[in-house]
Amino acid sequence: MGKLERLKKLIKSLRFRLVLTFLAIGILTPFILQYSMLTSYMKKAVSDRTIDILSQTKLLVNQMANNDYIHDTSSEVISSQIDQISNIYDGRVILVDDSFHIVKDTYKLDEGKTIISEEVVKSFRGEEINNYDSENRYIELTVPISNLETQKTEGVILVSVSTDSILAGKTYIRRNAFVLQCAFVIIILAFAVRLSDVYTKPLRRVVEKLSGVQAGYIQANIEVNDYSEVYDITQEVNRMLARMKVLDDSRQEFVSNVSHELKTPLTSMKVLADSLTGQEEVPIELYKEFMSDIAAEIERENKIINDLLSLVKMDKTEATLNIETVSVNDLLELIMKRLQPIAKQQNVDLVLESFRPVSAEVDEVKLTLAITNLVENAIKYNKPEGWVHVSLNADHQYFYVKVEDSGIGIPEESLEYIYERFYRVDKSHSREIGGTGLGLAITRNAVLMHRGAIKAYSEEDKGTTFNVRIPLNYIA
């Protein structure tokens, strides 16, 4: 599956997760609100019912105390009030005298029996007890009945009231809340689908543009400015596309250049060979001249092929380094010695400056190739009567090679791309010199394989400086 297809699936997955997230919020929020509301309702309703019954009971207790009802239950008015409380609140009222005998029970079940419970005992000590039994769904109050003169507790009144009416109200509220919750979930679902579509639309537009890029249309920038995050993404994508375009143009230019470079020596050699074979009794001087020209063309062809092979070898994931302890001073001196004839031919002054002896664990062949490319470029792209200064220094961790020149320089806008394969700053000049656009790519690869770094600083018509930093001890 292509990367774009995976990206499309990721966006679909993102939309699905957004919908699920909003839906979860839409479901959980009403549930939490419903639970909080019903819990609060029950607490408030039970509390209000308890206070109401307690106030009614206290009024009744005062009348009982005034009429000594605990010892004489003949008062029809008080009995009527007791029955009224029982009926109104769907409850039960029990009167207990100081001998713990039940003298009155509105249910007519336990009159004459003895009752001893923790609540009754505490009430005889003067405490008022109220309790809500949520499991059996009733409120129970125990209130002492005291003699008005002696303040002695002569009896206790127990009131048990059903909370079924409160629970019925709770059920009604829950039912209505469920209907509202269902409506809320439907609204949230529609909102979530719409919102996920709005949020992912910019990403889908980016994918559409990238589909066009995949099809080969990379000329226009992607402009999706809906959100700052998406804008940042599109800017990064545009930068990537710009690099792709530069690389693509460079590759096309490379194919053209290499085709030309490989074809030109072959054409020259064929012309020279045909000239020799087409003549009889060729003078030895002309023969030598033609053969010398053929050898030069072969060398030119060999240079292009070697650059290509070097890059391919470094590209392989299994590429390894032949690490050994090398005197970097001796290595640089050997490189300078090899390139001195080219410098003289270009009339360029070549100078090496070593600040201290340096030994490092490196691959001598690859490091030689990297530094040779830098110095050779500094010579070839220099000015007449110019100079190239190579210096070597080190600290306790790295050694540093600096290659400075007084050459034509590199434009600022090209510095970002000089390590790209096939990229050449001055294409016409590079073709004249015979460059393939692979030298700096090879150099950078070799430096990175040594866990090093390379940086370039340049100004047009004032020269270029390359700084190379490589660890003294190889980091596997």
Side-chain angles (χ1 to χ4, degrees), residues 88-118:
I88 290 174
Y89 294 108
D90 188 22
R92 182 182 185 184
V93 180
I94 297 176
L95 291 180
V96 182
D97 63 15
D98 53 3
S99 298
F100 295 98
H101 292 138
I102 297 174
V103 298
K104 186 172 182 61
D105 179 3
T106 55
Y107 279 11
K108 309 296 183 180
L109 297 175
D110 296 324
E111 288 182 356
K113 295 181 179 180
T114 301
I115 179 171
I116 299 176
S117 67
E118 183 180 356

PDB file of all heavy atoms in Angstrom, residues 88-118:
ATOM      1  N   ILE A  88     -51.006  10.641  55.870  1.00  0.00           N
ATOM      2  CA  ILE A  88     -50.438  11.622  54.924  1.00  0.00           C
ATOM      3  C   ILE A  88     -49.073  11.160  54.411  1.00  0.00           C
ATOM      4  O   ILE A  88     -48.776  11.225  53.221  1.00  0.00           O
ATOM      5  CB  ILE A  88     -50.337  13.003  55.596  1.00  0.00           C
ATOM      6  CG1 ILE A  88     -51.737  13.590  55.803  1.00  0.00           C
ATOM      7  CG2 ILE A  88     -49.494  13.951  54.738  1.00  0.00           C
ATOM      8  CD1 ILE A  88     -51.736  14.881  56.585  1.00  0.00           C
ATOM      9  N   TYR A  89     -48.249  10.691  55.315  1.00  0.00           N
ATOM     10  CA  TYR A  89     -46.877  10.341  54.934  1.00  0.00           C
ATOM     11  C   TYR A  89     -46.695   8.849  54.658  1.00  0.00           C
ATOM     12  O   TYR A  89     -45.557   8.399  54.499  1.00  0.00           O
ATOM     13  CB  TYR A  89     -45.908  10.787  56.030  1.00  0.00           C
ATOM     14  CG  TYR A  89     -45.832  12.283  56.178  1.00  0.00           C
ATOM     15  CD1 TYR A  89     -46.402  12.912  57.281  1.00  0.00           C
ATOM     16  CD2 TYR A  89     -45.222  13.067  55.214  1.00  0.00           C
ATOM     17  CE1 TYR A  89     -46.347  14.290  57.420  1.00  0.00           C
ATOM     18  CE2 TYR A  89     -45.153  14.451  55.350  1.00  0.00           C
ATOM     19  CZ  TYR A  89     -45.725  15.056  56.450  1.00  0.00           C
ATOM     20  OH  TYR A  89     -45.665  16.418  56.573  1.00  0.00           O
ATOM     21  N   ASP A  90     -47.811   8.128  54.610  1.00  0.00           N
ATOM     22  CA  ASP A  90     -47.754   6.695  54.336  1.00  0.00           C
ATOM     23  C   ASP A  90     -46.762   6.030  55.294  1.00  0.00           C
ATOM     24  O   ASP A  90     -45.830   5.351  54.875  1.00  0.00           O
ATOM     25  CB  ASP A  90     -47.362   6.439  52.878  1.00  0.00           C
ATOM     26  CG  ASP A  90     -47.480   4.972  52.505  1.00  0.00           C
ATOM     27  OD1 ASP A  90     -48.233   4.250  53.205  1.00  0.00           O
ATOM     28  OD2 ASP A  90     -46.805   4.554  51.541  1.00  0.00           O
ATOM     29  N   GLY A  91     -46.996   6.278  56.606  1.00  0.00           N
ATOM     30  CA  GLY A  91     -46.039   5.788  57.583  1.00  0.00           C
ATOM     31  C   GLY A  91     -46.697   5.101  58.755  1.00  0.00           C
ATOM     32  O   GLY A  91     -47.880   4.791  58.760  1.00  0.00           O
ATOM     33  N   ARG A  92     -45.899   4.879  59.749  1.00  0.00           N
ATOM     34  CA  ARG A  92     -46.320   4.164  60.961  1.00  0.00           C
ATOM     35  C   ARG A  92     -45.841   4.940  62.168  1.00  0.00           C
ATOM     36  O   ARG A  92     -44.681   5.382  62.208  1.00  0.00           O
ATOM     37  CB  ARG A  92     -45.724   2.758  60.959  1.00  0.00           C
ATOM     38  CG  ARG A  92     -46.143   1.900  62.156  1.00  0.00           C
ATOM     39  CD  ARG A  92     -45.446   0.552  62.068  1.00  0.00           C
ATOM     40  NE  ARG A  92     -45.889  -0.377  63.119  1.00  0.00           N
ATOM     41  CZ  ARG A  92     -45.380  -1.589  63.313  1.00  0.00           C
ATOM     42  NH1 ARG A  92     -44.404  -2.020  62.507  1.00  0.00           N
ATOM     43  NH2 ARG A  92     -45.834  -2.367  64.268  1.00  0.00           N
ATOM     44  N   VAL A  93     -46.746   5.086  63.173  1.00  0.00           N
ATOM     45  CA  VAL A  93     -46.404   5.793  64.399  1.00  0.00           C
ATOM     46  C   VAL A  93     -46.564   4.827  65.575  1.00  0.00           C
ATOM     47  O   VAL A  93     -47.597   4.164  65.708  1.00  0.00           O
ATOM     48  CB  VAL A  93     -47.299   7.028  64.604  1.00  0.00           C
ATOM     49  CG1 VAL A  93     -46.923   7.749  65.905  1.00  0.00           C
ATOM     50  CG2 VAL A  93     -47.182   7.983  63.418  1.00  0.00           C
ATOM     51  N   ILE A  94     -45.537   4.777  66.413  1.00  0.00           N
ATOM     52  CA  ILE A  94     -45.545   3.894  67.593  1.00  0.00           C
ATOM     53  C   ILE A  94     -45.208   4.738  68.817  1.00  0.00           C
ATOM     54  O   ILE A  94     -44.239   5.503  68.794  1.00  0.00           O
ATOM     55  CB  ILE A  94     -44.532   2.744  67.440  1.00  0.00           C
ATOM     56  CG1 ILE A  94     -44.916   1.844  66.256  1.00  0.00           C
ATOM     57  CG2 ILE A  94     -44.436   1.937  68.728  1.00  0.00           C
ATOM     58  CD1 ILE A  94     -43.905   0.747  65.982  1.00  0.00           C
ATOM     59  N   LEU A  95     -46.017   4.560  69.902  1.00  0.00           N
ATOM     60  CA  LEU A  95     -45.746   5.224  71.171  1.00  0.00           C
ATOM     61  C   LEU A  95     -45.243   4.197  72.175  1.00  0.00           C
ATOM     62  O   LEU A  95     -45.829   3.116  72.323  1.00  0.00           O
ATOM     63  CB  LEU A  95     -47.006   5.893  71.716  1.00  0.00           C
ATOM     64  CG  LEU A  95     -47.530   7.120  70.949  1.00  0.00           C
ATOM     65  CD1 LEU A  95     -48.782   7.651  71.616  1.00  0.00           C
ATOM     66  CD2 LEU A  95     -46.474   8.191  70.884  1.00  0.00           C
ATOM     67  N   VAL A  96     -44.177   4.524  72.863  1.00  0.00           N
ATOM     68  CA  VAL A  96     -43.569   3.627  73.848  1.00  0.00           C
ATOM     69  C   VAL A  96     -43.519   4.348  75.184  1.00  0.00           C
ATOM     70  O   VAL A  96     -43.037   5.492  75.258  1.00  0.00           O
ATOM     71  CB  VAL A  96     -42.153   3.205  73.408  1.00  0.00           C
ATOM     72  CG1 VAL A  96     -41.559   2.231  74.413  1.00  0.00           C
ATOM     73  CG2 VAL A  96     -42.170   2.594  72.010  1.00  0.00           C
ATOM     74  N   ASP A  97     -44.007   3.687  76.258  1.00  0.00           N
ATOM     75  CA  ASP A  97     -43.958   4.333  77.578  1.00  0.00           C
ATOM     76  C   ASP A  97     -42.628   4.057  78.242  1.00  0.00           C
ATOM     77  O   ASP A  97     -41.752   3.387  77.667  1.00  0.00           O
ATOM     78  CB  ASP A  97     -45.145   3.878  78.448  1.00  0.00           C
ATOM     79  CG  ASP A  97     -45.113   2.367  78.739  1.00  0.00           C
ATOM     80  OD1 ASP A  97     -44.038   1.738  78.514  1.00  0.00           O
ATOM     81  OD2 ASP A  97     -46.137   1.809  79.168  1.00  0.00           O
ATOM     82  N   ASP A  98     -42.478   4.549  79.506  1.00  0.00           N
ATOM     83  CA  ASP A  98     -41.187   4.428  80.186  1.00  0.00           C
ATOM     84  C   ASP A  98     -40.872   3.000  80.626  1.00  0.00           C
ATOM     85  O   ASP A  98     -39.791   2.725  81.125  1.00  0.00           O
ATOM     86  CB  ASP A  98     -41.117   5.376  81.377  1.00  0.00           C
ATOM     87  CG  ASP A  98     -42.300   5.203  82.330  1.00  0.00           C
ATOM     88  OD1 ASP A  98     -43.125   4.306  82.064  1.00  0.00           O
ATOM     89  OD2 ASP A  98     -42.394   5.967  83.306  1.00  0.00           O
ATOM     90  N   SER A  99     -41.825   2.084  80.409  1.00  0.00           N
ATOM     91  CA  SER A  99     -41.558   0.671  80.692  1.00  0.00           C
ATOM     92  C   SER A  99     -41.235  -0.097  79.407  1.00  0.00           C
ATOM     93  O   SER A  99     -41.181  -1.334  79.417  1.00  0.00           O
ATOM     94  CB  SER A  99     -42.797   0.045  81.369  1.00  0.00           C
ATOM     95  OG  SER A  99     -43.071   0.667  82.613  1.00  0.00           O
ATOM     96  N   PHE A 100     -41.037   0.634  78.335  1.00  0.00           N
ATOM     97  CA  PHE A 100     -40.703   0.077  77.024  1.00  0.00           C
ATOM     98  C   PHE A 100     -41.866  -0.746  76.450  1.00  0.00           C
ATOM     99  O   PHE A 100     -41.649  -1.648  75.644  1.00  0.00           O
ATOM    100  CB  PHE A 100     -39.431  -0.794  77.068  1.00  0.00           C
ATOM    101  CG  PHE A 100     -38.201  -0.007  77.400  1.00  0.00           C
ATOM    102  CD1 PHE A 100     -37.732   0.015  78.704  1.00  0.00           C
ATOM    103  CD2 PHE A 100     -37.523   0.724  76.440  1.00  0.00           C
ATOM    104  CE1 PHE A 100     -36.590   0.749  79.040  1.00  0.00           C
ATOM    105  CE2 PHE A 100     -36.376   1.449  76.762  1.00  0.00           C
ATOM    106  CZ  PHE A 100     -35.914   1.467  78.055  1.00  0.00           C
ATOM    107  N   HIS A 101     -43.092  -0.433  76.919  1.00  0.00           N
ATOM    108  CA  HIS A 101     -44.273  -1.086  76.360  1.00  0.00           C
ATOM    109  C   HIS A 101     -44.862  -0.204  75.264  1.00  0.00           C
ATOM    110  O   HIS A 101     -44.923   1.021  75.418  1.00  0.00           O
ATOM    111  CB  HIS A 101     -45.329  -1.351  77.435  1.00  0.00           C
ATOM    112  CG  HIS A 101     -44.907  -2.370  78.432  1.00  0.00           C
ATOM    113  ND1 HIS A 101     -45.138  -2.251  79.791  1.00  0.00           N
ATOM    114  CD2 HIS A 101     -44.249  -3.557  78.291  1.00  0.00           C
ATOM    115  CE1 HIS A 101     -44.650  -3.305  80.420  1.00  0.00           C
ATOM    116  NE2 HIS A 101     -44.098  -4.109  79.510  1.00  0.00           N
ATOM    117  N   ILE A 102     -45.284  -0.844  74.182  1.00  0.00           N
ATOM    118  CA  ILE A 102     -45.926  -0.109  73.103  1.00  0.00           C
ATOM    119  C   ILE A 102     -47.378   0.148  73.499  1.00  0.00           C
ATOM    120  O   ILE A 102     -48.173  -0.784  73.662  1.00  0.00           O
ATOM    121  CB  ILE A 102     -45.870  -0.895  71.784  1.00  0.00           C
ATOM    122  CG1 ILE A 102     -44.398  -1.101  71.345  1.00  0.00           C
ATOM    123  CG2 ILE A 102     -46.637  -0.182  70.678  1.00  0.00           C
ATOM    124  CD1 ILE A 102     -44.233  -1.994  70.143  1.00  0.00           C
ATOM    125  N   VAL A 103     -47.712   1.439  73.676  1.00  0.00           N
ATOM    126  CA  VAL A 103     -49.072   1.796  74.103  1.00  0.00           C
ATOM    127  C   VAL A 103     -49.955   2.145  72.905  1.00  0.00           C
ATOM    128  O   VAL A 103     -51.189   2.168  73.044  1.00  0.00           O
ATOM    129  CB  VAL A 103     -49.050   2.956  75.124  1.00  0.00           C
ATOM    130  CG1 VAL A 103     -48.293   2.558  76.393  1.00  0.00           C
ATOM    131  CG2 VAL A 103     -48.409   4.200  74.511  1.00  0.00           C
ATOM    132  N   LYS A 104     -49.325   2.460  71.760  1.00  0.00           N
ATOM    133  CA  LYS A 104     -50.123   2.750  70.568  1.00  0.00           C
ATOM    134  C   LYS A 104     -49.313   2.426  69.322  1.00  0.00           C
ATOM    135  O   LYS A 104     -48.126   2.741  69.243  1.00  0.00           O
ATOM    136  CB  LYS A 104     -50.582   4.207  70.536  1.00  0.00           C
ATOM    137  CG  LYS A 104     -51.557   4.522  69.380  1.00  0.00           C
ATOM    138  CD  LYS A 104     -52.118   5.910  69.498  1.00  0.00           C
ATOM    139  CE  LYS A 104     -53.115   6.195  68.375  1.00  0.00           C
ATOM    140  NZ  LYS A 104     -54.280   5.300  68.386  1.00  0.00           N
ATOM    141  N   ASP A 105     -49.973   1.819  68.340  1.00  0.00           N
ATOM    142  CA  ASP A 105     -49.351   1.465  67.057  1.00  0.00           C
ATOM    143  C   ASP A 105     -50.391   1.707  65.982  1.00  0.00           C
ATOM    144  O   ASP A 105     -51.473   1.106  66.006  1.00  0.00           O
ATOM    145  CB  ASP A 105     -48.905  -0.005  67.067  1.00  0.00           C
ATOM    146  CG  ASP A 105     -48.273  -0.428  65.742  1.00  0.00           C
ATOM    147  OD1 ASP A 105     -48.127   0.440  64.838  1.00  0.00           O
ATOM    148  OD2 ASP A 105     -47.934  -1.622  65.611  1.00  0.00           O
ATOM    149  N   THR A 106     -50.116   2.612  65.089  1.00  0.00           N
ATOM    150  CA  THR A 106     -51.110   2.928  64.053  1.00  0.00           C
ATOM    151  C   THR A 106     -51.387   1.737  63.145  1.00  0.00           C
ATOM    152  O   THR A 106     -52.393   1.721  62.436  1.00  0.00           O
ATOM    153  CB  THR A 106     -50.637   4.118  63.189  1.00  0.00           C
ATOM    154  OG1 THR A 106     -49.357   3.831  62.659  1.00  0.00           O
ATOM    155  CG2 THR A 106     -50.580   5.404  64.016  1.00  0.00           C
ATOM    156  N   TYR A 107     -50.480   0.767  63.117  1.00  0.00           N
ATOM    157  CA  TYR A 107     -50.707  -0.446  62.326  1.00  0.00           C
ATOM    158  C   TYR A 107     -51.455  -1.517  63.127  1.00  0.00           C
ATOM    159  O   TYR A 107     -51.797  -2.571  62.593  1.00  0.00           O
ATOM    160  CB  TYR A 107     -49.371  -1.025  61.836  1.00  0.00           C
ATOM    161  CG  TYR A 107     -48.803  -0.351  60.608  1.00  0.00           C
ATOM    162  CD1 TYR A 107     -49.338   0.836  60.141  1.00  0.00           C
ATOM    163  CD2 TYR A 107     -47.733  -0.916  59.923  1.00  0.00           C
ATOM    164  CE1 TYR A 107     -48.793   1.455  59.022  1.00  0.00           C
ATOM    165  CE2 TYR A 107     -47.204  -0.302  58.814  1.00  0.00           C
ATOM    166  CZ  TYR A 107     -47.736   0.887  58.362  1.00  0.00           C
ATOM    167  OH  TYR A 107     -47.216   1.489  57.257  1.00  0.00           O
ATOM    168  N   LYS A 108     -51.670  -1.256  64.473  1.00  0.00           N
ATOM    169  CA  LYS A 108     -52.378  -2.185  65.341  1.00  0.00           C
ATOM    170  C   LYS A 108     -51.737  -3.571  65.378  1.00  0.00           C
ATOM    171  O   LYS A 108     -52.421  -4.587  65.529  1.00  0.00           O
ATOM    172  CB  LYS A 108     -53.846  -2.341  64.897  1.00  0.00           C
ATOM    173  CG  LYS A 108     -54.605  -1.050  64.701  1.00  0.00           C
ATOM    174  CD  LYS A 108     -54.756  -0.283  66.000  1.00  0.00           C
ATOM    175  CE  LYS A 108     -55.602   0.988  65.775  1.00  0.00           C
ATOM    176  NZ  LYS A 108     -55.764   1.766  67.006  1.00  0.00           N
ATOM    177  N   LEU A 109     -50.415  -3.623  65.252  1.00  0.00           N
ATOM    178  CA  LEU A 109     -49.734  -4.917  65.194  1.00  0.00           C
ATOM    179  C   LEU A 109     -49.011  -5.261  66.484  1.00  0.00           C
ATOM    180  O   LEU A 109     -48.990  -6.424  66.908  1.00  0.00           O
ATOM    181  CB  LEU A 109     -48.732  -4.949  64.028  1.00  0.00           C
ATOM    182  CG  LEU A 109     -49.303  -4.800  62.603  1.00  0.00           C
ATOM    183  CD1 LEU A 109     -48.174  -4.735  61.585  1.00  0.00           C
ATOM    184  CD2 LEU A 109     -50.219  -5.983  62.286  1.00  0.00           C
ATOM    185  N   ASP A 110     -48.387  -4.241  67.106  1.00  0.00           N
ATOM    186  CA  ASP A 110     -47.505  -4.542  68.238  1.00  0.00           C
ATOM    187  C   ASP A 110     -47.947  -3.879  69.542  1.00  0.00           C
ATOM    188  O   ASP A 110     -47.141  -3.759  70.479  1.00  0.00           O
ATOM    189  CB  ASP A 110     -46.076  -4.084  67.899  1.00  0.00           C
ATOM    190  CG  ASP A 110     -45.499  -4.842  66.732  1.00  0.00           C
ATOM    191  OD1 ASP A 110     -45.790  -6.048  66.620  1.00  0.00           O
ATOM    192  OD2 ASP A 110     -44.742  -4.238  65.937  1.00  0.00           O
ATOM    193  N   GLU A 111     -49.189  -3.403  69.656  1.00  0.00           N
ATOM    194  CA  GLU A 111     -49.626  -2.765  70.890  1.00  0.00           C
ATOM    195  C   GLU A 111     -49.578  -3.770  72.052  1.00  0.00           C
ATOM    196  O   GLU A 111     -50.011  -4.913  71.910  1.00  0.00           O
ATOM    197  CB  GLU A 111     -51.041  -2.214  70.726  1.00  0.00           C
ATOM    198  CG  GLU A 111     -51.102  -0.985  69.822  1.00  0.00           C
ATOM    199  CD  GLU A 111     -52.512  -0.424  69.707  1.00  0.00           C
ATOM    200  OE1 GLU A 111     -53.433  -1.045  70.273  1.00  0.00           O
ATOM    201  OE2 GLU A 111     -52.686   0.616  69.051  1.00  0.00           O
ATOM    202  N   GLY A 112     -49.033  -3.303  73.169  1.00  0.00           N
ATOM    203  CA  GLY A 112     -48.909  -4.152  74.338  1.00  0.00           C
ATOM    204  C   GLY A 112     -47.598  -4.909  74.396  1.00  0.00           C
ATOM    205  O   GLY A 112     -47.247  -5.466  75.449  1.00  0.00           O
ATOM    206  N   LYS A 113     -46.866  -4.908  73.304  1.00  0.00           N
ATOM    207  CA  LYS A 113     -45.576  -5.613  73.282  1.00  0.00           C
ATOM    208  C   LYS A 113     -44.475  -4.723  73.825  1.00  0.00           C
ATOM    209  O   LYS A 113     -44.637  -3.512  73.951  1.00  0.00           O
ATOM    210  CB  LYS A 113     -45.227  -6.063  71.860  1.00  0.00           C
ATOM    211  CG  LYS A 113     -46.194  -7.106  71.305  1.00  0.00           C
ATOM    212  CD  LYS A 113     -45.772  -7.512  69.911  1.00  0.00           C
ATOM    213  CE  LYS A 113     -46.718  -8.565  69.342  1.00  0.00           C
ATOM    214  NZ  LYS A 113     -46.342  -8.983  67.982  1.00  0.00           N
ATOM    215  N   THR A 114     -43.379  -5.346  74.123  1.00  0.00           N
ATOM    216  CA  THR A 114     -42.213  -4.604  74.635  1.00  0.00           C
ATOM    217  C   THR A 114     -41.225  -4.387  73.485  1.00  0.00           C
ATOM    218  O   THR A 114     -40.976  -5.295  72.680  1.00  0.00           O
ATOM    219  CB  THR A 114     -41.518  -5.391  75.764  1.00  0.00           C
ATOM    220  OG1 THR A 114     -42.465  -5.601  76.821  1.00  0.00           O
ATOM    221  CG2 THR A 114     -40.307  -4.630  76.299  1.00  0.00           C
ATOM    222  N   ILE A 115     -40.664  -3.186  73.430  1.00  0.00           N
ATOM    223  CA  ILE A 115     -39.662  -2.869  72.409  1.00  0.00           C
ATOM    224  C   ILE A 115     -38.424  -2.273  73.066  1.00  0.00           C
ATOM    225  O   ILE A 115     -38.525  -1.345  73.866  1.00  0.00           O
ATOM    226  CB  ILE A 115     -40.232  -1.893  71.348  1.00  0.00           C
ATOM    227  CG1 ILE A 115     -39.164  -1.565  70.305  1.00  0.00           C
ATOM    228  CG2 ILE A 115     -40.772  -0.611  71.984  1.00  0.00           C
ATOM    229  CD1 ILE A 115     -39.700  -0.789  69.120  1.00  0.00           C
ATOM    230  N   ILE A 116     -37.324  -2.874  72.821  1.00  0.00           N
ATOM    231  CA  ILE A 116     -36.049  -2.334  73.298  1.00  0.00           C
ATOM    232  C   ILE A 116     -35.091  -2.293  72.095  1.00  0.00           C
ATOM    233  O   ILE A 116     -34.712  -3.333  71.565  1.00  0.00           O
ATOM    234  CB  ILE A 116     -35.445  -3.205  74.416  1.00  0.00           C
ATOM    235  CG1 ILE A 116     -36.377  -3.272  75.620  1.00  0.00           C
ATOM    236  CG2 ILE A 116     -34.088  -2.646  74.844  1.00  0.00           C
ATOM    237  CD1 ILE A 116     -35.888  -4.178  76.719  1.00  0.00           C
ATOM    238  N   SER A 117     -34.773  -1.103  71.658  1.00  0.00           N
ATOM    239  CA  SER A 117     -33.832  -0.925  70.541  1.00  0.00           C
ATOM    240  C   SER A 117     -32.855   0.189  70.889  1.00  0.00           C
ATOM    241  O   SER A 117     -33.091   0.968  71.838  1.00  0.00           O
ATOM    242  CB  SER A 117     -34.589  -0.580  69.257  1.00  0.00           C
ATOM    243  OG  SER A 117     -35.201   0.690  69.370  1.00  0.00           O
ATOM    244  N   GLU A 118     -31.802   0.273  70.155  1.00  0.00           N
ATOM    245  CA  GLU A 118     -30.767   1.283  70.416  1.00  0.00           C
ATOM    246  C   GLU A 118     -31.336   2.692  70.314  1.00  0.00           C
ATOM    247  O   GLU A 118     -31.056   3.562  71.147  1.00  0.00           O
ATOM    248  CB  GLU A 118     -29.605   1.114  69.416  1.00  0.00           C
ATOM    249  CG  GLU A 118     -28.464   2.082  69.663  1.00  0.00           C
ATOM    250  CD  GLU A 118     -27.332   1.910  68.663  1.00  0.00           C
ATOM    251  OE1 GLU A 118     -27.411   0.983  67.815  1.00  0.00           O
ATOM    252  OE2 GLU A 118     -26.387   2.705  68.740  1.00  0.00           O
TER     253      GLU A 118
END
